[in-house]
Amino acid sequence: MTSTTRTHRQGSAAPTRRVRLTDLPLVAARLRCGHLVREHGIAVRDIVFCPGCGSQSTVASVIAQ
């Protein structure tokens, strides 16, 4: 009996595209710790580094894009 499972090399290759930093929106967000950050391409519930606290925090809300 032969196996019909495919390895990752046998599957169809997804087309690749370079993403530049300018392709991502600059976002102002409020973190759960209360500090504000400006980062590229973040969304609510992302975990980012808070420079004010010096630790990781979750994005609570997006203020502006």
Side-chain angles (χ1 to χ4, degrees), residues 22-56:
T22 57
D23 294 339
L24 300 173
L26 181 61
V27 177
R30 181 175 308 278
L31 303 178
R32 292 260 181 229
C33 62
H35 291 108
L36 300 175
V37 293
R38 289 181 59 182
E39 294 286 335
H40 285 277
I42 59 173
V44 175
R45 291 186 295 238
D46 282 353
I47 298 173
V48 297
F49 180 77
C50 175
C53 296
S55 62
Q56 293 180 344

Side-chain angles (χ1 to χ4, degrees), residues 1-41:
M1 191 172 207
T2 59
S3 175
T4 58
T5 59
R6 295 178 2 178
T7 63
H8 69 282
R9 290 183 183 217
Q10 293 173 335
S12 62
T16 59
R17 180 173 90 82
R18 287 185 183 246
V19 177
R20 298 179 186 200
L21 188 59
T22 57
D23 294 339
L24 300 173
L26 181 61
V27 177
R30 181 175 308 278
L31 303 178
R32 292 260 181 229
C33 62
H35 291 108
L36 300 175
V37 293
R38 289 181 59 182
E39 294 286 335
H40 285 277

